[in-house]
Amino acid sequence: MSKKALTTGAPKRRRRRSQAADAGPGGDALPPGQSDTSYVSRADKEEQLQKWVIRGVIAVVAVLASLVAITFAIEQLIVPNQAVAVVNGDEVSVREFRQQYQLERNRLLLQLNQLQSSGFDTQQLAQQEPYKTWISEVNVPDQLGLRVINDMVDDRLLAQEAAARNISIDEAALRRSVEEYFGFDPTEVALIGVEPTATTEPTITPTPVVSPTPSNTPEPTPTLDPAATMEATASEPTVTPQPTVVEPTLSAEEVRQNFQQNEEDYRAYFDRVGVAAETLDGFFQRLALEGLLADELVPDDGSLLYADVRHILVEDEETAQQALQALEQGESFAALARALSTDSGSGSRGGELGLAYVGNYVPEFRQAIEEAELSTLVGPIESEFGYHILQVRSKEARSGADIEFQLERAKRQELDLLTQSLRDQQSDSFEIFDSWLDYIPRG
């Protein structure tokens, strides 16, 4: 073996392997003092994976938190401020609608529970108005929601009308509305325990000739048949209550304390069911405003129009025209009423409705009476009941004690007529959005 062969043997190959081992990923040799870091242990891999998993979980949680925050912001900040109706630029917000819905529903529940606890039969109540409607609204959210949204539109129309008439609520009017709602009359309460002052009987000197003093005769009561009277307001239902327990007479102070406690309990109840104090205050403010408007429409010292009327009611205009022609040709009004009128109550009396407050009749019939000349045949007048031929026998304005029993009802009727008139006149000035159905509380 040659000397060259001996000097180029295995040691050189080992040196090349060592250099290759020291080479970097590209095959180049690593600088002196630097170790190979391309090798990753299993533990390092698992640690790296855990880090990525943790980062992923954090990212998912952050996204979910963002979605929750966005949903919360939409539900609590954006949605409550959206409008479900607008009246002459005045918006009704979702928040207001939801609050008003909760207020009305719980008012109905309270009233029904009080009737039930007083011994009234709920099945009997369910057959009579207004209790039938109350029970239906409590059980059918959409029905109550529709009534609430329409009431809120009416409230804004009346508030705007009151402002146009320079009518505003003061503290006295607001307090009076609360007292009336709870049936508390401070004037009557102040007289509890006060002995009435004796009135000296006047001495009457007889005279040879005296004029007879007309006495106030009782006003005829219209029949409760709606087709007979065309009354705008339904009659009060007849409910048979349980025997009443006679409570001991309370002092004025006790009555006042009871009223104050009732009001506190009432407010506490609505606070528990989630109705804000400002919503309940708004309810009493609306009552006060309606009272002020009603007082202007029908002043306490004003008068009401009464009329003695007879009419013939038929189903179609052609029959009404034929009846009118027959009357103009001399046919007996009473005979035609008995033969043709679908109003069985007045028809059997020859069409006579008697002397009554004109506000008891539906608007079309009432307006015809107000505009009619005495003894003139008027018609055909269309109403929800059919077609009328009417004749006014007499008209008179009554005031004072003669209308005391009718006054409050007249105020309510006039306020309802004003509300409907505002709706008709401003039908293009308000809008109810379909979205209100989506925001009815259904819990």
Side-chain angles (χ1 to χ4, degrees), residues 72 119 134 137 142 155 166 206 215 219 246 278 291 306 329 354 368 407:
F72 179 83
W134 293 0
E137 287 184 340
D142 289 0
D155 291 338
N166 295 319
S215 60
E219 183 168 343
V246 179
E278 62 182 12
Y306 282 67
Q329 293 171 5
L407 198 57

Side-chain angles (χ1 to χ4, degrees), residues 264-276:
E264 290 176 9
D265 293 343
Y266 198 74
R267 290 183 177 277
Y269 168 79
F270 281 101
D271 181 62
R272 288 195 301 272
V273 298
V275 176

Side-chain angles (χ1 to χ4, degrees), residues 27-269:
D28 297 332
L30 293 172
Q34 183 173 342
S35 61
D36 183 10
T37 58
S38 62
Y39 175 74
V40 180
S41 68
R42 182 176 181 179
D44 291 340
K45 290 180 180 179
E46 290 178 352
E47 182 181 358
Q48 189 69 21
L49 180 61
Q50 288 178 353
K51 289 181 179 178
W52 282 110
V53 170
I54 292 173
R55 289 172 183 171
V57 171
I58 292 174
V60 170
V61 171
V63 170
L64 291 177
S66 299
L67 291 175
V68 170
I70 292 172
T71 302
F72 179 83
I74 292 174
E75 287 297 322
Q76 300 298 321
L77 301 176
I78 298 176
V79 169
N81 292 314
Q82 290 179 343
V84 290
V86 60
V87 184
N88 288 312
D90 186 8
E91 293 185 346
V92 178
S93 69
V94 171
R95 179 187 292 105
E96 292 174 298
F97 172 67
R98 285 172 170 171
Q99 280 283 296
Q100 193 67 20
Y101 179 94
Q102 294 285 31
L103 172 66
E104 288 301 313
R105 187 172 191 277
N106 282 281
R107 282 184 64 236
L108 292 177
L109 287 172
L110 273 180
Q111 292 169 340
L112 290 171
N113 289 338
Q114 288 171 354
L115 287 168
Q116 187 173 7
S117 63
S118 298
F120 290 101
D121 184 353
T122 53
Q123 292 183 346
Q124 183 182 4
L125 291 176
Q127 304 303 316
Q128 303 180 61
E129 292 294 354
Y131 313 115
K132 181 179 180 180
T133 298
W134 293 0
I135 294 171
S136 180
E137 287 184 340
V138 164
N139 292 296
V140 184
D142 289 0
Q143 181 180 346
L144 177 58
L146 179 61
R147 197 255 293 172
V148 168
I149 193 67
N150 277 288
D151 284 351
M152 296 184 79
V153 168
D154 292 345
D155 291 338
R156 277 164 166 72
L157 287 171
L158 288 175
Q160 292 167 4
E161 177 67 15
R165 294 171 180 248
N166 295 319
I167 297 175
S168 58
I169 306 170
D170 57 17
E171 188 61 34
L174 180 58
R175 197 63 215 156
R176 188 165 59 250
S177 74
V178 175
E179 292 169 346
E180 290 176 353
Y181 186 77
F182 289 97
F184 177 79
D185 187 335
T187 302
E188 290 184 359
V189 171
L191 295 176
I192 294 177
V194 178
E195 292 293 334
T197 304
T199 304
T200 306
E201 291 293 333
T203 302
I204 301 176
T205 304
T207 55
V209 179
V210 293
S211 300
T213 303
S215 60
N216 291 327
T217 57
E219 183 168 343
T221 303
T223 169
L224 296 181
D225 180 3
T229 61
M230 297 74 66
E231 290 191 4
T233 305
S235 60
E236 288 294 325
T238 303
V239 181
T240 305
Q242 297 298 318
T244 303
V245 178
V246 179
E247 297 290 341
T249 302
L250 301 178
S251 67
E253 183 58 28
E254 289 172 330
V255 173
R256 190 175 292 104
Q257 289 176 356
N258 283 349
F259 157 65
Q260 294 171 349
Q261 188 62 52
N262 287 339
E263 183 183 353
E264 290 176 9
D265 293 343
Y266 198 74
R267 290 183 177 277
Y269 168 79

Side-chain angles (χ1 to χ4, degrees), residues 411-428:
K411 289 176 183 287
R412 183 71 251 176
Q413 290 169 338
E414 292 299 325
L415 190 63
D416 290 342
L417 287 175
L418 174 62
T419 303
Q420 187 58 53
S421 175
L422 291 173
R423 268 187 169 261
D424 294 341
Q425 295 171 7
Q426 302 185 39
S427 58
D428 296 333

Side-chain angles (χ1 to χ4, degrees), residues 291-303:
L292 293 174
L293 269 171
D295 289 342
E296 178 166 296
L297 294 170
V298 183
D300 291 338
D301 58 354
S303 62

Side-chain angles (χ1 to χ4, degrees), residues 309-365:
V309 184
R310 61 179 179 177
H311 84 132
I312 298 172
L313 176 64
V314 294
E315 293 181 353
D316 58 84
E317 188 175 8
E318 182 180 356
T319 304
Q321 289 288 3
Q322 292 172 354
L324 180 59
Q325 291 175 6
L327 291 172
E328 290 173 341
Q329 293 171 5
E331 189 70 35
S332 167
F333 196 107
L336 271 180
R338 292 188 182 97
L340 299 177
S341 185
T342 58
D343 176 0
S344 57
S346 67
S348 63
R349 299 190 299 272
E352 299 292 344
L353 293 174
L355 183 67
Y357 168 53
V358 298
N360 289 341
Y361 302 115
V362 290
E364 302 87 355
F365 197 81

